[in-house]
Amino acid sequence: MSTAEETADGEPSAWDEVTPDAARRLLIAAVEAFAERGYHATTTRDIAGRAGMSPAALYIHYKTKEELLHRISRIGNAKALEILRTASRAEGTPTERLADAVSSFVRWHAGGRTIARVVQYELDSLGPEARAEIVALRRQVNAEMRGIIEDGVATGEFDVLDVHGTTLAVLSLCVDVARWFNVNGPRTPEEVGALYADLVLRMAGAK
């Protein structure tokens, strides 16, 4: 399995929805190339070569390199939103839901670090229209995390003076895991998720 196909907690691959097989192979190759070299330093020839295809074959499925990045970003951000939405709308106290949201979000960024790096750090490589769509998804991600924190403040479980700023800090902590996590390092994605959940609860002043 390539690094771009890694999943957290045995979940289905993010790319299962992409068909046909050739389109999926090209998308996976693009994720690996963008993560390794950056979007602007990657050529369509690089992507096609990684997929074992000709540059001409790439254009059958994707009109431009940006279209590849756009689809990667849409799939990745939709998955991030699904993870937080599931946690935020689950039964349980705000403390339990915040811990679950953070640990799940961190596990995804660690276990799927290759796609997460592209999704989180290549936003400005998109054109205005595509960027606006992804920014809208990110606002929903922010809203899910903020909602949990607001619930905790309302019930008196959290001691947070600046909900907006705290939400940004929490999301930034989770996202940054994709930048430094090493599969050969001392901690598993689950262990990092548990650690970050504890840290965030302390940040929120959870009682």
Side-chain angles (χ1 to χ4, degrees):
M1 180 180 290
S2 70
T3 57
E5 294 176 282
E6 293 162 341
T7 59
D9 299 328
E11 294 177 351
S13 168
W15 315 122
D16 287 351
E17 67 180 72
V18 181
T19 57
D21 179 68
R24 182 166 52 250
R25 283 164 49 202
L26 286 164
L27 211 68
I28 291 168
V31 171
E32 293 175 342
F34 294 158
E36 180 182 313
R37 306 186 62 185
Y39 174 80
H40 292 294
T42 299
T43 66
T44 53
R45 184 175 294 276
D46 294 331
I47 296 168
R50 283 175 182 261
M53 301 166 68
S54 69
L58 184 149
Y59 294 109
I60 295 174
H61 302 283
Y62 302 100
K63 296 177 182 178
T64 63
K65 184 176 71 168
E66 185 191 347
E67 184 180 338
L68 273 162
L69 178 61
H70 183 201
R71 188 160 192 193
I72 291 164
S73 299
R74 187 168 61 240
I75 290 172
N77 279 283
K79 181 60 179 177
L81 176 57
E82 177 191 336
I83 290 168
L84 286 187
R85 183 168 282 165
T86 298
S88 72
R89 301 183 184 185
E91 294 184 2
T93 66
T95 297
E96 292 168 337
R97 288 187 286 126
L98 182 59
D100 184 36
V102 170
S103 61
S104 300
F105 207 43
V106 166
R107 287 198 308 271
W108 184 74
H109 280 84
R113 61 201 172 282
T114 306
I115 176 178
R117 281 200 298 271
V118 177
V119 168
Q120 300 294 2
Y121 296 116
E122 290 288 359
L123 176 64
D124 289 339
S125 297
L126 292 170
E129 185 174 338
R131 188 180 189 281
E133 179 186 350
I134 301 308
V135 166
L137 280 171
R138 291 193 176 193
R139 285 180 179 144
Q140 293 180 66
V141 167
N142 182 291
E144 296 295 341
M145 185 67 80
R146 186 177 66 250
I148 301 173
I149 296 173
E150 288 173 340
D151 287 347
V153 172
T155 62
E157 290 179 47
F158 300 158
D159 182 14
V160 175
L161 296 177
D162 183 346
V163 172
H164 176 72
T166 301
T167 301
L168 289 178
V170 171
L171 290 173
S172 295
L173 277 175
C174 298
V175 165
D176 195 55
V177 171
R179 181 185 58 79
W180 62 261
F181 184 80
N182 185 341
V183 69
N184 296 315
R187 297 180 189 269
T188 65
E190 291 74 20
E191 289 170 337
V192 177
L195 171 64
Y196 274 50
D198 179 68
L199 291 172
V200 168
L201 289 180
R202 292 171 186 270
M203 181 189 300
K207 295 179 174 58

